[in-house]
Amino acid sequence: MKHLISLYDLTLEDINEIFELSEKLKRQLKEGVEHKLLKNKTLGMIFTKSSTRTRVSFEVGMYQLGGYPLFLSSNDIQLGRGETIYDTAQVLSRYLDGIMIRTFAHSDVEELATHGSIPIINGLTDLMHPCQILTDLFTIYEHKGELKGLKLAYVGDGNNIANSLLHGCAKVGMDISVASPKGYECDKNIVAEAQKDAEVSGSKIVLTEDPYVAVKDADVIYTDTWVSMGQEAEKEERIKIFMPYQVNSDLFSKAKEDAIFLHCLPAYRDYEVTSDIIDGSQSLVFDEAENRLHVQKAIMVKLMA
């Protein structure tokens, strides 16, 4: 691993190493064992999209690893306001040991990686969210003891979460069914990449418009907000289109009896998921949120140590 841009770039060995290190760092934190593996290292954190979990987990994680996290909002740097990404990458590479960027255009992340000389971590783009999905897979592994052969059902918008879930599940050999309304499907190029990996791992990929087909016998049900940042003007229309994709007790009952529920948060209760499901005993959303800290620490160590 040189960067973390897309899960498609990782090997299964990379993913397993991240999980092993995540498990170790989580255990050490709970036991009070210091692990200053990035002592005196500095991570620049570029945010053109605001965040709760991404900022806090990276900032706290870098601090726990003995390094220094530097928050850079769109008001703090010239990126996108006249200075090219090439120049930004060149300059920041002279100051920092790594960059995490959370932004809109996926091409911005790719350009930083191309023109800089330090590791780049994709904290989210409109196309992908690899840190979140590595966390999700780690959370599933913690609770199920395995990944290969399990079935994950994603219900809702074919967005950056769904795209990266396709990449991640195909890499580790999990079956994945994605149910999205017509016109809101996953990116075609990512579907093609996932299918290539699925041929190797044995993962089965199903794309459907029917949420009941997707969740049948699923081990994991996953959903996300219907209105992502930048889509506020479409809110009323999206609610009408996506309401049949709500994860509720009726839909959840079609999954396996011991199925777990995941959501990357923030969640809008009684829209994409009903309160009884997200607050129920089979929901792992807060374990999942906590694990962002441990998994991202492992990613930073793997790239920057």
Side-chain angles (χ1 to χ4, degrees), residues 15 17 67 74 105 109 123 266:
I15 293 172
E17 285 177 6
S74 53
V109 183

Side-chain angles (χ1 to χ4, degrees), residues 77-85 87-88:
I77 59 174
Q78 304 302 315
L79 185 66
R81 292 190 295 161
E83 186 165 27
T84 65
I85 292 176
D87 288 355
T88 301

Side-chain angles (χ1 to χ4, degrees), residues 3-20:
H3 307 286
L4 177 58
I5 310 297
S6 164
L7 294 185
Y8 185 61
D9 300 330
L10 304 190
T11 65
L12 183 58
E13 184 181 13
D14 288 329
I15 293 172
N16 288 334
E17 285 177 6
I18 290 169
F19 289 172
E20 286 171 17

